[in-house]
Coordinates of all heavy atoms in Angstrom, one line a residue:
N20 N 0.8 -1.2 0.0 CA 0.0 0.0 0.0 C 0.8 1.3 0.0 O 0.5 2.2 -0.7 CB -0.9 0.0 1.2 CG -2.0 -1.0 1.1 OD1 -2.4 -1.5 0.0 ND2 -2.7 -1.4 2.2
I21 N 1.9 1.2 0.8 CA 2.8 2.4 0.8 C 3.4 2.6 -0.5 O 3.5 3.8 -1.0 CB 3.9 2.2 1.9 CG1 3.3 2.3 3.3 CG2 5.0 3.2 1.8 CD1 4.3 1.9 4.4
Q22 N 3.9 1.6 -1.2 CA 4.5 1.7 -2.5 C 3.5 2.2 -3.5 O 3.8 3.0 -4.4 CB 5.2 0.4 -2.9 CG 6.4 0.0 -2.1 CD 6.9 -1.4 -2.3 OE1 6.1 -2.2 -2.7 NE2 8.2 -1.5 -2.1
F23 N 2.3 1.7 -3.4 CA 1.2 2.2 -4.4 C 1.0 3.7 -4.1 O 0.9 4.4 -5.1 CB -0.1 1.4 -4.1 CG -1.2 1.8 -5.1 CD1 -1.3 1.3 -6.3 CD2 -2.1 2.8 -4.7 CE1 -2.3 1.7 -7.2 CE2 -3.1 3.2 -5.5 CZ -3.2 2.6 -6.8
L24 N 0.9 4.2 -2.9 CA 0.6 5.5 -2.6 C 1.8 6.5 -3.0 O 1.6 7.6 -3.2 CB 0.3 5.7 -1.1 CG -1.1 5.2 -0.7 CD1 -1.2 5.1 0.8 CD2 -2.2 5.9 -1.4
Q25 N 3.0 5.8 -3.1 CA 4.1 6.6 -3.6 C 4.0 6.9 -5.1 O 4.4 7.9 -5.7 CB 5.4 5.8 -3.4 CG 5.9 5.9 -1.9 CD 7.1 5.0 -1.7 OE1 7.4 4.1 -2.4 NE2 7.8 5.3 -0.6
I26 N 3.2 5.9 -5.8 CA 3.0 6.2 -7.3 C 1.8 7.2 -7.4 O 1.9 8.1 -8.2 CB 2.6 4.8 -7.9 CG1 3.7 3.8 -7.7 CG2 2.2 5.0 -9.4 CD1 3.3 2.4 -8.2
S27 N 0.8 7.0 -6.7 CA -0.4 7.8 -6.7 C -1.1 7.9 -5.4 O -1.6 6.9 -4.9 CB -1.4 7.3 -7.8 OG -2.6 8.1 -7.8
S28 N -1.1 9.1 -4.8 CA -1.7 9.2 -3.4 C -3.1 9.8 -3.3 O -3.5 10.0 -2.3 CB -0.7 10.0 -2.6 OG -0.6 11.3 -3.1
A29 N -3.7 9.9 -4.5 CA -5.1 10.4 -4.5 C -6.0 9.2 -4.0 O -5.9 8.1 -4.6 CB -5.5 10.9 -5.9
I30 N -6.9 9.5 -3.1 CA -7.8 8.5 -2.5 C -9.2 9.0 -2.6 O -9.5 10.2 -2.2 CB -7.4 8.2 -1.0 CG1 -6.0 7.7 -1.0 CG2 -8.4 7.2 -0.4 CD1 -5.5 7.5 0.5
Y31 N -10.1 8.1 -3.0 CA -11.6 8.4 -2.8 C -12.1 7.7 -1.7 O -12.0 6.4 -1.6 CB -12.3 8.0 -4.1 CG -13.8 8.4 -4.1 CD1 -14.2 9.6 -4.7 CD2 -14.8 7.6 -3.5 CE1 -15.5 10.0 -4.6 CE2 -16.1 8.0 -3.5 CZ -16.4 9.2 -4.0 OH -17.8 9.6 -3.9
C32 N -12.7 8.3 -0.7 CA -13.3 7.7 0.5 C -14.8 7.5 0.3 O -15.5 8.4 0.1 CB -13.1 8.6 1.7 SG -11.3 8.7 2.2
L33 N -15.2 6.2 0.2 CA -16.5 5.9 0.0 C -17.3 5.6 1.3 O -16.7 4.9 2.1 CB -16.6 4.6 -0.9 CG -17.9 4.0 -1.3 CD1 -18.7 4.9 -2.2 CD2 -17.7 2.6 -2.0
H34 N -18.4 6.1 1.4 CA -19.2 5.9 2.6 C -19.9 4.5 2.6 O -20.4 4.1 1.6 CB -20.3 7.0 2.9 CG -21.1 6.8 4.1 ND1 -20.6 7.0 5.4 CD2 -22.4 6.3 4.3 CE1 -21.5 6.7 6.2 NE2 -22.6 6.4 5.6
G35 N -19.7 3.8 3.7 CA -20.4 2.5 3.7 C -19.4 1.4 4.2 O -18.2 1.5 4.0
V36 N -20.0 0.3 4.7 CA -19.3 -0.8 5.3 C -19.6 -2.0 4.3 O -20.7 -2.5 4.3 CB -19.6 -1.2 6.7 CG1 -19.0 -2.5 7.2 CG2 -19.3 0.0 7.6
Y37 N -18.5 -2.5 3.6 CA -18.8 -3.5 2.5 C -17.8 -4.7 2.6 O -17.8 -5.5 1.7 CB -18.7 -2.8 1.2 CG -19.6 -1.6 1.0 CD1 -19.2 -0.4 0.8 CD2 -21.0 -1.8 1.0 CE1 -20.0 0.7 0.7 CE2 -21.9 -0.8 0.9 CZ -21.4 0.5 0.6 OH -22.2 1.5 0.5
Y38 N -17.1 -4.8 3.7 CA -16.2 -5.9 3.8 C -16.3 -6.5 5.3 O -16.3 -5.7 6.2 CB -14.7 -5.5 3.6 CG -13.7 -6.6 3.5 CD1 -13.2 -7.0 2.2 CD2 -13.2 -7.3 4.6 CE1 -12.3 -8.0 2.1 CE2 -12.3 -8.3 4.5 CZ -11.8 -8.6 3.2 OH -10.9 -9.6 3.0
K39 N -16.4 -7.8 5.4 CA -16.5 -8.4 6.7 C -15.3 -9.3 6.9 O -14.9 -10.2 6.1 CB -17.8 -9.3 6.8 CG -17.9 -9.8 8.3 CD -19.3 -10.4 8.4 CE -19.6 -10.8 9.9 NZ -20.9 -11.3 10.1
Q40 N -14.6 -8.9 8.0 CA -13.3 -9.7 8.4 C -13.6 -10.6 9.5 O -14.0 -10.2 10.6 CB -12.2 -8.7 8.7 CG -10.9 -9.4 8.9 CD -9.8 -8.4 9.3 OE1 -10.1 -7.3 9.7 NE2 -8.6 -8.8 9.0
Y41 N -13.5 -11.9 9.4 CA -13.7 -12.9 10.4 C -12.4 -13.1 11.2 O -11.8 -14.2 11.1 CB -14.2 -14.2 9.8 CG -15.6 -14.1 9.2 CD1 -15.8 -13.7 7.9 CD2 -16.8 -14.4 9.9 CE1 -17.1 -13.6 7.3 CE2 -18.0 -14.3 9.4 CZ -18.2 -13.9 8.1 OH -19.4 -13.8 7.6
D42 N -12.1 -12.1 11.9 CA -10.7 -12.1 12.6 C -10.7 -12.9 13.9 O -9.6 -12.9 14.5 CB -10.2 -10.6 12.8 CG -11.2 -9.9 13.7 OD1 -12.3 -10.2 13.8 OD2 -10.7 -8.9 14.3
T43 N -11.7 -13.5 14.3 CA -11.7 -14.3 15.5 C -11.6 -15.8 15.2 O -11.5 -16.7 16.1 CB -12.9 -14.1 16.4 OG1 -14.1 -14.4 15.6 CG2 -13.0 -12.6 16.9
E44 N -11.6 -16.1 13.9 CA -11.5 -17.5 13.5 C -10.1 -18.0 13.6 O -9.1 -17.3 13.5 CB -12.1 -17.7 12.1 CG -13.6 -17.5 12.0 CD -14.2 -17.8 10.7 OE1 -13.4 -18.2 9.8 OE2 -15.4 -17.7 10.5
S45 N -9.9 -19.3 13.7 CA -8.6 -20.0 13.8 C -7.8 -19.6 12.6 O -8.3 -19.7 11.5 CB -8.7 -21.5 13.9 OG -7.5 -22.1 13.9

């Protein structure tokens, strides 16, 4: 991500929650 932002650091921030991370699973 850091290397990508060195190429292009313009970001569009989209409102909304669209990804679910199951971070308590084994």
